[in-house]
Every structure is written in C-alpha cells, then in structure tokens.
Amino acid sequence: NPAGTYVASGDARGRLRVWAYDHEEHLPRLDVQLLAGPIRDISWDAEGRRIAATGDGMQSPECSKAVQWDTGVKCGDLAAHSRKKGSSVAFRPGRPMRIATGGKEDAAVFLHKGPPFQRVVGDPAVCERGHERGAVNCLRYTKDGTAVASVGTDGAACVYDGKTLELTSKAERLHRSSAFSCCWSRDGTRLLTCGADGHARLVDRDGQLLREWNVAEILGGKAGGSKVPTGAMQLGCAFVKGDVPVSVGYNGQIAVLPLEDGKEPTVITGHQAPIAAMEFGRGNCIYTADTDGVIVKWDGDTGRAVGRVSDPGQDDADLLGKVHAGATVTSLAYSSADDVLYSAGWDDRVRTTSGLTCAGSVGMDAQPNAMSCGTSLVAVMTVDGLSLVRGGRAASSSGTVRLPYAATAVHLSGDDGTLYVAGEDGSIHVYAVSEEGRENPLDEVHVIEGGHLRAVRSLSLSPDGTKLAAADSRDVCVYDASGGYAPLVSKGRWCFHTQSVGCLAWSPDGSVLASGGNDDSIFLWCPERKARRVHYRFAHRGGVTGLRFVGSGRAEGAEWTLVSAGADGCVNWWDVEEDAKTKFGL
C-alpha cells in the first residue's frame, strides 16, 4: 500500500491475500477468494483503502474486482473483458478516482469511475482501442495521476489523459514484438518500457525515444541475431531510487540500466528455483546450485553474486544458464588442492568448474545424490553405490563400488583417508580409502550401530577430525572419531527438529555445531553444554539445504558468521557470535 505497511498478493488460484510487511511474521489481514482463475495484476488506491485486481474470470461473470482492503467487500462493478480475461489494472492515485483495466485478448482498455465504480460508457473522449491487437500487457499511472500509459502485444506504447482516458500520444512499433511492461519515472516525464525483443526503451510523454538498451546483448546474446534468446526477453521494468531504470529478464537476471553515456550496465543474478546445494570455494567465495540446474558464484565477503556458471560444451542459446541440462543439481563439492568445484546432477554427470566456466564432466553409472570432497578426492554417492573422482576423472578402475545397503549420506575426511557412509538402517559405516591399484578402494574398518532409529541424512566431521556429527529426521548425534566412535551426544538429547535434517556445519574451532532441516529451522548446539541450544525459526521457507561457518573462531578472536541456503532460493548471512557466547558461555 502507499504507506508501505501492507502488501497485497494474488496467486494462480485467484486468491487475494493482504499481509503485514512491517511485521516480522508478516501476519495476514485479508484472505479471500477473489477470482475464479489466476490473478494477473493488483493495484492500490492512493488512500490505501481499496484494492483492484484483474485476471481470469473462468466461468464467473467477472474478471476484475475492486474491494475494500480489510474486508474484501466489493466497491463497484468492473467491466469484464473478452472471454473474461484481464491482464492489467491501474488505480488512479488521487481523486477523482479512476480504475483502468486492460484486456488479455481484446486489446481494449476500460475506464471506470467511482466509488462505487462503473465503466464509463458513451463518452467520446474515452479511447478504449489504442492498441491494434492482442493483449494490453501493462497499465501504469503517473504519480500525480495526470496520465496513464499502456503497452501491448502490438509493441506500441500509448499515453492517455489520467481522468478521461483520452489518447494524447502513441509510439507505434516501439518494440519489434510484444511489449510486456512499463513504468513512469518519479516526475512523470519519462516512460520506461521493455519487451520480448530483449530491449528496454525510454520515451517521453509524446512518445519520442530518449534512450534504448539492448539488454539481450548485455546478458550475453549474440549481437545482430534475428531470434532473441528466451532467457533475454524482458518481462518487467521499474525505476528504483527515483530515477534508476532496471529491467528483469525471463532468466531472472536484473539489468541496472545507466542513463549516462559510456557507463556499463550492471547485471544482478541469483536463483529463481529452490537452492539444493551450497559449497565454499577459495577466498570465501560461495557456490550455490538450484533445482533448475543453475549454479551461481557469490562473493562471501560482500554477499553479492559474481555471476552464473556456464558450460561452453552446452548450447545455451536461450541464455537460461542451466549447467546440468536443466536437471536438478543435487550436490556441490570443492577441491582445495585443484581449486575446482564439482557438481552432481540428475543428468547422471559430475561436472568440474573453474571460476565461472565448466571445464569437463564425468559420467556416472547411476544417478548421483550426494558428494563429499576431502582435499583432492571426491566421493560420489549414487543410487547404486559409491564412485571416486580425482582430478576430473574416475579414480577407481572398477567404476561404481557396490554396497550391501542403501546409502543415504556420505562424508570424506580432510586427508582423503577416511570415508563415512550412512545407511538406510541408521548405521554409519567407516571405510579406509586406498587407491593403490585396487579394484575396491574401500576397506570397512568400523560400523556405528544403534545410534539412530531412522535413516541418517547428513554427516559432518569437526575441523580437527575428532568429532563426527550425524543427523536423521529428528536426532542430531555426535560421536568420538578419535577412537572407538563412542557417542558424545546420544539420540534423544538433541531431538528438537521436526523434519529431516539435511545439513550440518561445525564452527571453525569445533565448539559449536549448526544443523538445518526441512522444518525451516536452524539450531546451534554445543557438545560442552549439551542441555542448551539456540533456535532460529523460519530461517528458510521450504527447508534449509546448506550451512557453513565463516571466520576463524573464538580461538583467534574472530567474528563468527553462519551462511545458510534454502529452498526459498535465498542465501542468508547470520551473526551468531553473540548468541553462542550468551547461551554456551564461550
């Protein structure tokens, strides 16, 4: 709303929700079934008391509605577009109030006055057919309400009088194909548009072109090509901080467009899908991978994305940035000896990445589900067993090592000498690794039995190699890895997760253990203070999929920062030092 305290959102099922933006739990104020089909656009009035929404009416008689923001009561009847499909709506900011709606298939713009709102019919000044064909994809008013602009499938941008909808100017064929979005500058003198031709353009109120940017070329598309890559099609645009134009592409990348000549655009990237894995590289850089096969490199010091990993061996003409052929990336592992990132995906390949470029790949006999790297050796857990990879190629002549049980988690020690594998029965198998010309490089030296009642889902060895942490769908346990694997923290002690615990991380000095689960929670534990814990609720919507401490730990007086990744597509930095000191007395 104009005050910035509430947000209205609509979903694909036609449900409208109004929720508190300035409350940490974002409490809902309104939850109503507004339309029979998807809601495509929402607009607040200048007073923050009414909401207009449009979308698919399906079998109902209405495709647009105006309601009171807190009760959902209708405040008028908005006209239905052809086939009950609306695409955009705009509330005039100020009085007299007006609502403009755009059709999805009839290329029409309807004007309504009120409240109660009714369509303006019979006024010769009203121009409902400013566009030639298709959809009116976006309608936006200036801040003072004196003008409203529309863009559509015909690539044109129309500017109307804000009160009467009289057409004042029209930029014909502003875009070579559909124009998807538009936005006015704060002073209302310039209109920013973007479209499927991969361009963003800036025009004045008379439709005169002031500036244009070839965003498709900025994102890496081939200059002069007749076909615009799908990922480079620009779906949305806005002015931020008053007069800084930005454009958002189909591939989720945001282009910050400079108004000054000679200044290079800035591209901001990230994830549009749930993050499935996270790993740290050299120099505090972070790699994250999602379920769409996109891998992003981050600067761990600033929290900014450096860029997306690309594979020269794959044809990415669509600029979607999917490394593993669009398949889910299940795990990441970093080799400090080779400065190489390994990624495993459901395309049944393990790929190696240096910087932002994939250098090679290794085919797996079965689908890889998890990985762990010591110094230079990588252990890959597949649905059929284990495979070892070193230097970008298979390290075992026998290929996959078959196991007499179903593996659920894997962890390799820092010296590449000890491999821990968890089974479906809750046992943890300890292997000594030897690659000296042996068909089976694994020797089982110990089995931790009876420590868990459920399948173990994650394993982590402390930095000094003396403590092994393991977690299932409820319990987090710690074992003495320095000899005998006696339990230091047994089942039933740290049992406060309510769903599967998918990731564990030790602090740099090994005094604190962090666990993240599908219950959206992160816990901090201390083996020296077993009865105490720190709980961070709602860390990631959909579950926590990656955890890692950065910093040198309390031994050197350095600050602790915990980095987490989750199914909400976000990477979070947590300052946990004060909580750890207060709760655990460190």
Side-chain angles (χ1 to χ4, degrees):
N1 64 350
T5 54
Y6 285 91
V7 174
S9 58
D11 61 22
R13 293 174 294 181
R15 201 156 192 86
L16 174 71
R17 288 183 174 90
V18 179
W19 43 274
Y21 176 75
D22 56 354
H23 192 281
E24 62 179 5
E25 295 188 14
H26 304 305
L27 299 175
R29 181 61 183 267
L30 179 68
D31 187 350
V32 296
Q33 184 69 39
L34 196 69
L35 300 178
I39 294 177
R40 290 199 173 91
D41 200 9
I42 297 173
S43 181
W44 287 83
D45 72 346
E47 300 171 357
R49 297 171 57 187
R50 303 168 187 85
I51 297 173
T54 189
D56 279 8
M58 307 293 282
Q59 304 302 320
S60 66
E62 296 174 303
C63 65
S64 305
K65 283 187 179 181
V67 297
Q68 299 291 337
W69 80 281
D70 55 348
T71 63
V73 175
K74 285 176 59 177
C75 48
D77 294 310
L78 304 187
H81 287 272
S82 175
R83 300 183 63 182
K84 307 295 189 300
K85 291 187 177 184
S87 58
S88 187
V89 62
F91 233 121
R92 182 176 184 270
R95 290 182 179 268
M97 290 187 177
R98 298 288 188 269
I99 296 178
T101 61
K104 183 69 175 174
E105 296 187 3
D106 55 8
V109 178
F110 293 160
L111 181 68
H112 307 79
K113 64 180 181 179
F117 293 98
Q118 297 290 332
R119 179 183 173 188
V120 178
V121 181
D123 188 342
V126 175
C127 178
E128 295 184 344
R129 301 288 175 177
H131 293 274
E132 299 175 358
R133 57 184 174 84
V136 178
N137 290 318
C138 188
L139 283 164
R140 292 296 180 262
Y141 268 97
T142 57
K143 191 174 182 180
D144 59 6
T146 58
V148 60
S150 66
V151 294
T153 303
D154 58 357
C158 300
V159 178
Y160 313 85
D161 182 270
K163 293 181 183 179
T164 64
L165 203 69
E166 179 182 359
L167 183 65
T168 59
S169 67
K170 181 177 180 180
E172 298 274 4
R173 304 291 186 271
L174 183 61
H175 291 269
R176 296 197 309 270
S177 52
S178 295
F180 288 134
S181 182
C182 64
C183 181
W184 288 99
S185 61
R186 181 170 295 182
D187 59 8
T189 61
R190 295 169 296 172
L191 180 69
L192 178 67
T193 67
C194 65
D197 59 357
H199 282 70
R201 292 180 171 90
L202 191 67
V203 297
D204 60 17
R205 282 204 183 194
D206 296 328
Q208 298 299 313
L209 182 65
L210 303 176
R211 189 73 186 268
E212 69 174 342
W213 301 269
N214 188 345
V215 185
E217 187 175 334
I218 294 170
L219 297 178
K222 295 180 180 179
S226 58
K227 180 184 176 182
V228 177
T230 302
M233 293 182 178
Q234 300 304 294
L235 304 185
C237 60
F239 282 95
V240 297
K241 292 185 178 180
D243 290 314
V244 180
V246 299
S247 180
V248 183
Y250 180 81
N251 60 7
Q253 293 185 298
I254 302 172
V256 182
L257 308 172
L259 293 172
E260 302 85 1
D261 293 331
K263 190 175 181 180
E264 291 295 323
T266 303
V267 177
I268 302 173
T269 191
H271 292 282
Q272 296 189 96
I275 295 176
M278 181 181 72
E279 183 60 289
F280 272 59
R282 182 168 295 175
N284 247 12
C285 75
I286 304 171
Y287 290 94
T288 54
D290 63 29
T291 55
D292 278 348
V294 175
I295 302 176
V296 178
K297 182 180 179 181
W298 306 79
D299 186 332
D301 295 323
T302 64
R304 296 182 180 274
V306 177
R308 291 184 176 181
V309 172
S310 61
D311 187 353
Q314 291 187 17
D315 182 16
D316 190 22
D318 289 335
L319 290 182
L320 296 177
K322 298 180 179 181
V323 174
H324 281 265
T328 296
V329 179
T330 58
S331 184
L332 296 175
Y334 175 74
S335 171
S336 58
D338 304 325
D339 190 21
V340 168
L341 177 76
Y342 290 85
S343 60
W346 282 356
D347 59 350
D348 296 347
R349 304 197 72 83
V350 173
R351 301 181 186 273
T352 58
T353 297
S354 180
L356 291 174
T357 305
C358 284
S361 65
V362 181
M364 295 286 107
D365 296 334
Q367 178 179 294
N369 287 330
M371 281 194 307
S372 180
C373 182
T375 301
S376 60
L377 183 66
V378 180
V380 184
M381 184 188 81
T382 70
V383 296
D384 283 347
L386 293 171
S387 296
L388 300 181
V389 177
R390 187 191 296 273
R393 59 177 64 91
S396 174
S397 59
S398 61
T400 302
V401 178
R402 308 290 176 176
L403 301 174
Y405 55 88
T408 56
V410 63
H411 186 84
L412 185 62
S413 64
D415 60 1
D416 296 340
T418 306
L419 180 65
Y420 302 91
V421 183
E424 189 73 37
D425 59 355
S427 300
I428 302 173
H429 301 259
V430 184
Y431 297 92
V433 182
S434 177
E435 303 174 70
E436 298 177 357
R438 301 180 54 184
E439 184 175 346
N440 186 352
L442 304 180
D443 287 326
E444 187 174 276
V445 296
H446 189 82
V447 180
I448 305 173
E449 295 180 304
H452 295 266
L453 299 177
R454 302 170 178 83
V456 174
R457 297 301 177 185
S458 55
L459 296 166
S460 181
L461 197 64
S462 61
D464 59 5
T466 61
K467 297 185 286 292
L468 175 68
D472 52 41
S473 59
R474 188 189 72 161
D475 290 293
V476 178
C477 302
V478 179
Y479 303 94
D480 182 8
S482 59
Y485 295 98
L488 301 176
V489 179
S490 302
K491 60 179 179 290
R493 169 72 75 171
W494 293 348
C495 55
F496 297 96
H497 280 284
T498 58
Q499 294 187 42
S500 178
V501 181
C503 49
L504 297 167
W506 288 95
S507 62
D509 60 1
S511 62
V512 174
L513 175 68
S515 61
N518 291 341
D519 55 0
D520 304 350
S521 293
I522 295 175
F523 281 92
L524 299 184
W525 317 94
C526 179
E528 298 176 5
R529 301 286 189 275
K530 297 183 180 65
R532 300 181 180 183
R533 63 187 181 275
V534 178
H535 186 193
Y536 299 107
R537 296 176 174 84
F538 315 117
H540 291 277
R541 181 67 179 262
V544 183
T545 56
L547 282 175
R548 179 70 177 266
F549 277 94
V550 295
S552 301
R554 62 187 173 98
E556 299 181 17
E559 294 183 356
W560 284 351
T561 300
L562 179 66
V563 182
S564 67
D568 55 0
C570 297
V571 180
N572 296 338
W573 275 254
W574 305 78
D575 182 2
V576 300
E577 184 177 20
E578 189 63 33
D579 290 336
K581 286 180 178 179
T582 302
K583 183 64 71 171
F584 304 134
L586 299 178

